[in-house]
Each structure stands twice: as C-alpha cells, then as structure tokens.
C-alpha cells in the first residue's frame, strides 16, 4: 500500500489537502462521527443499564449482539438500496432510523425492549455508515487517500467521544446518552439535507446476492475471514472489558476515551507510515499478534494492568482498521461497493458473536477465559494473513489508489 502514499499526500495543505474539503464532505464526516459514537456510547453505562433494568451482564451484552447482527445482514441490503435511491437518500434514511430508534432506546422499560430498539438502530447505522465512505470518496478533494483518512478520522473521533459522552450523560441516568445521540443525529440529518446534493447513481443496480458472489474472490474471502477473527477480539475488548474493569461511568468513560484517542491517532497518522515502510500485510500480521498478547495480559493481569492494556489495544485496533479498510478497497476485482458489502457481511457477524459469547464463556469457566479465546482469535486472523498472503497481495497496491474514486467505496470500517 506504500504506493498510495507516494501517489498522493493526503496531508498536503493545498487544494486537495485533508482539511480543505467541501461542505458536503464535512457534513457527512460530522454525521459519521456521531454514528460511530453510537458504537462505544453504551460502554461506560453497561453496568448502570444492568442495574437499572435488573439484567445480567449476558443479557445486557445483547445490546451489541442485536445491533451488529442486524448490521451484518443489512450489509447485503445497503448496496441494493443505494443503487436504486441514491447515496443522499440512503444516508438520510439511515439517519432517520437512528434518530427514531436511539430515542426509543432511552424509553425502554425492559432489556428486551432495549435490545429490540438497538436492532433498529443497527439497521439505520448500517445504511448510513456503509454509504458515508462512498459519498466522502466521491465528493472529497485530494483523491481517495485523503477521503479514506478523513473517514478514519471520523471513525476514531467517534469511537473516542462515544464513551466520554456516554459517561457524562450516563452519570445522571443511563437513558440520557440515547436521547443525546438521537438529538445529535437529528442535527446530522439537517446538515446532510442542507449541504449534500444528490449523488450520481451507479450505472448498474446492485442485486441482493452480488455481495455473496463477490466472496468467491480468494483475496476478498481471505480478508473477510481474517477480519472475522480480528473483529471477535476487537469486540471482546469493547463489550466485555467494562464488566471486568468494574468502574464508575466516569472511570470507564475515561479509559475508553483514551483508548479511542489512540485508535484515532494510530489509524490516521501512524498506520499509513508503517504501511509505507514495512508493507501492509507485515504490519497487519504483526499488529494482530501484538493484539493477541495484549488481550492475554489484560485477562491475567491486575486491575491496573487491565486498564493499561485496554487503552493500548486502541493503538493496535487503529492500525488494523486502516489496513483492513485498504485491503477491502484494493484486493478484489469486483466493484468496491459490492466487494465491501460481502466483506462486511462476514466480519460483522463476529462483532455480534463476541458480546454474546464472552459473558457465557466466563459463566462456563472463569473471567480470564474470554480473553484467552479473544487472543486465539487474533492469532487465527494473523494465520489467515500468513497462509493467504499471495491472494491478499493480488493487485492490491496497484488498484487501491487508481480505482477507489471510480467505483465508490462502501466500507464499514470498525
């Protein structure tokens, strides 16, 4: 991927620089920040939700499971929808669903209701986020590298701010973060409606089965398989660690804010430079192995060690997010919206599985075992990269910088 760095400098302060973008791009990126906030928003208030709704940790973990299960399935639908009604209308439809279901989440009277509303929220978020990168790539100045980094910046900022906002609002009531997200997404809806014009539709409509067919490509299937194992580790950290840390909303929010800051810095600033020097697959394999070691120490260490390892995992997750995004953009011969939909369909099932399985693994064994399984999953992801190295390098370096703006990307990066 180093060639992409040489071909266009996304940090150039000129007309195509990262910070010199049209209002439509900033409106979409701003709404993306809030969309990604919704993923980590519930982290610091999980224990409070469990107390308020008289639910067990395994029941509360279903907030993530329902959200990401619907997100995974929706990946097969987003291309079908956006290729028929256009990117702008797809974004607005997704935002409207998030506004509705985030607000309803705050009114929940039982954990079952909250899990159901989070599922609706996941559908809206999938429609929005899977289309946002395509819109940013199409409207951004400075080429695909600047667009991808702007999207990764929105992801990192949202993941960092989500736990902080959740802690600040959740200290008064666990319901307030949901109402706050609904209000912020309503502002995003207005910004998109005002600043973003109608986007050109693809020449050909996307069928519902096209993403599944795209997974017949060996490189894309390998990237999806590796990302599946990685996402299991990622969301074990995100969804299960708050119960292990057992801190106040402010304490947990501070930990995950620091985690999110490292995620943002390493995904936007560090990962591209590491890729340029060492190559994408070496960086990805090494980062996955380091993540495995980190979560293993997290599970077996003291409370202070667990806090430190949780924060440090953000750096490794940030690196992985960027490399996986670029692999999904460049490794497949299929149109990128189609390829990325198939890729995300596979990997988001792991995001649904980890929050469900981790508490149950603890019930069946002890509190360390969920992290042992998560470490093994990260190693499995690295093994896929090593074994399928040739398939993963197929045209990736040459295709990513040349075609990202032609096809339009629709990658739901972590």
């Amino acid at each position: 991927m180093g060639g992409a760095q040489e071909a266009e400098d996304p940090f150039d302060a000129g007309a195509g620089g990262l910070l010199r973008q049209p209002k439509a791009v900033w409106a979409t990126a701003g709404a993306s920040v809030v969309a990604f906030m919704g993923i980590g928003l519930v982290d610091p208030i999980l224990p409070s939700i469990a107390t308020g709704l008289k639910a067990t940790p395994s029941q509360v973990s279903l907030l993530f499971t329902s959200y990401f299960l619907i997100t995974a399935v929706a990946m097969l639908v987003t291309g079908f929808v956006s290729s028929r009604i256009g990117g702008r209308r797809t974004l607005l439809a997704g935002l409207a669903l998030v506004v509705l279901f985030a607000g309803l989440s705050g009114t929940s009277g039982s954990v079952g209701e909250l899990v159901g509303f989070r599922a609706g929220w996941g559908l809206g978020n999938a429609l929005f986020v899977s289309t946002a990168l395509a819109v940013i790539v199409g409207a951004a100045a400075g080429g695909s590298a600047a667009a991808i980094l702007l999207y990764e910046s929105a992801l990192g900022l949202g993941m960092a701010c989500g736990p902080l906002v959740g802690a600040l609002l959740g200290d008064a009531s666990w319901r307030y973060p949901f109402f706050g997200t609904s209000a912020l997404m309503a502002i995003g809806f207005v910004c998109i409606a005002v600043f973003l014009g109608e986007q050109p539709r693809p020449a050909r409509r996307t069928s519902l089965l096209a993403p599944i067919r795209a997974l017949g490509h060996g490189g894309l299937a390998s990237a999806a398989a590796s990302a599946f194992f990685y996402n299991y580790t990622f969301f074990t950290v995100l969804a299960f660690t708050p119960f292990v840390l057992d801190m106040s909303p402010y304490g947990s929010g501070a930990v995950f804010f620091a985690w999110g800051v490292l995620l943002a810095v390493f995904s936007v600033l560090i990962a591209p430079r590491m890729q340029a020097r060492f190559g994408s697959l070496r960086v990805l394999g090494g980062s996955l192995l380091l993540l495995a070691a980190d979560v293993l120490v997290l599970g077996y260490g003291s409370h202070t060690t667990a806090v430190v390892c949780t924060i440090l995992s953000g750096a490794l997750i940030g690196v992985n997010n960027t490399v996986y995004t670029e692999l999904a953009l460049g490794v497949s011969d299929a149109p990128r919206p189609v390829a990325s939909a198939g890729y995300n369909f596979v990997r988001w099932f792991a995001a649904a599985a980890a929050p469900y399985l981790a508490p149950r693994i603890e019930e069946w064994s002890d509190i360390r075992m969920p992290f042992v399984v998560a470490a093994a999953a990260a190693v499995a992801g690295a093994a896929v990269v090593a074994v399928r190295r040739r398939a993963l390098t197929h045209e990736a370096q040459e295709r990513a910088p040349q075609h990202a703006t032609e096809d339009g990307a629709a990658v739901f990066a972590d």
Side-chain angles (χ1 to χ4, degrees):
M1 302 287 177
Q5 303 304 314
E6 296 172 3
E8 48 185 281
D9 184 0
F11 299 102
D12 188 349
L18 185 65
L19 299 180
R20 295 182 178 234
Q21 300 294 338
K23 290 180 180 179
V25 172
W26 287 117
T28 307
S32 298
V33 171
V34 183
F36 287 121
M37 281 174 55
I39 297 176
L41 183 82
V42 299
D43 257 29
I45 58 172
L46 285 175
S48 299
I49 293 173
T51 300
L53 295 179
K54 297 180 174 58
T56 64
S58 60
Q59 289 175 320
V60 173
S61 70
L62 293 174
L63 295 179
F64 285 100
T65 298
S66 64
Y67 182 91
F68 288 117
L69 185 61
I70 294 299
T71 295
V73 175
M75 286 301 156
L76 300 180
V77 179
T78 53
F80 177 87
V81 173
S82 63
S83 67
R84 284 162 175 77
I85 69 174
R88 181 176 182 272
R89 291 180 181 178
T90 303
L91 290 178
L92 291 175
L95 286 170
L97 287 173
V98 173
V99 170
L100 173 64
F101 284 104
L104 288 174
S105 295
T107 68
S108 300
S110 68
V111 70
E113 285 185 11
L114 185 52
V115 168
F117 291 143
R118 280 282 286 180
W121 185 346
L123 173 60
N125 222 41
L127 287 171
F128 174 80
V129 179
S130 63
T131 310
L133 181 55
V135 171
I136 290 174
V137 168
S144 61
I148 291 171
L149 286 183
L150 186 61
Y151 184 80
E152 292 289 345
S153 299
L155 187 155
L157 185 60
M159 295 293 279
C161 293
L164 191 62
V165 171
L168 292 174
L169 296 178
D171 188 56
S173 169
W174 65 264
R175 300 180 186 273
Y176 290 170
F178 297 111
F179 294 139
T181 300
S182 181
L184 288 173
M185 284 306 246
I187 295 173
F189 183 97
V190 173
C191 290
I192 295 292
V194 172
F195 294 115
L196 181 65
E198 189 54 72
Q199 302 297 295
R201 300 183 190 181
R204 289 181 294 179
R205 292 182 175 182
T206 301
S207 74
L208 288 174
L209 295 179
I212 301 297
R213 296 191 188 101
L215 290 170
H217 184 280
L220 182 63
S222 300
S226 179
F228 175 89
F229 291 114
Y230 157 66
N231 263 30
Y232 185 92
T233 308
F234 177 0
F235 284 94
T236 297
V237 173
L238 189 64
F240 184 66
T241 302
F243 293 107
V244 175
L245 297 180
D246 193 24
M247 302 170 74
S248 69
Y250 280 121
S252 184
V255 169
F256 278 95
F257 174 72
W259 170 87
V261 168
L262 283 185
L263 187 154
V265 169
F266 273 76
S267 65
V268 176
L269 299 178
I270 307 301
R273 289 166 171 78
M274 293 176 65
Q275 289 175 271
R277 181 167 182 177
F278 301 108
S280 294
L281 297 188
R282 286 184 181 178
V283 170
L284 183 59
S287 182
L288 287 169
L289 292 176
L290 288 174
L291 181 61
D294 181 84
V295 297
L296 201 59
V297 174
L298 192 163
Y300 280 87
S302 64
H303 185 270
T304 300
T305 301
V307 169
V308 172
C309 287
T310 299
I311 294 172
L312 289 179
S313 71
L316 300 170
I317 288 169
V319 171
N320 291 335
N321 285 351
T322 295
V323 180
Y324 275 120
T325 297
E326 293 193 6
L327 278 179
L329 287 173
V331 75
S332 175
D333 296 324
R336 282 173 174 75
V338 174
S340 62
Y343 159 81
N344 285 297
F345 172 72
V346 173
R347 72 184 183 115
W348 285 110
F349 273 110
Y356 176 80
L357 291 176
R360 283 159 180 76
I361 292 173
E362 179 196 9
E363 293 171 3
W364 300 333
S365 53
D366 58 47
I367 200 168
R368 299 182 181 89
M369 192 53 61
F371 295 102
V372 174
V373 175
V379 172
V384 172
V385 171
V387 172
R388 299 290 295 167
R389 187 178 190 86
R390 179 171 295 182
L392 288 168
T393 56
H394 174 63
E395 296 183 0
Q397 291 187 359
E398 292 80 9
R399 285 177 52 81
Q402 293 173 8
H403 296 290
T405 55
E406 294 177 11
D407 298 327
V411 178
F412 187 4
D414 322 47

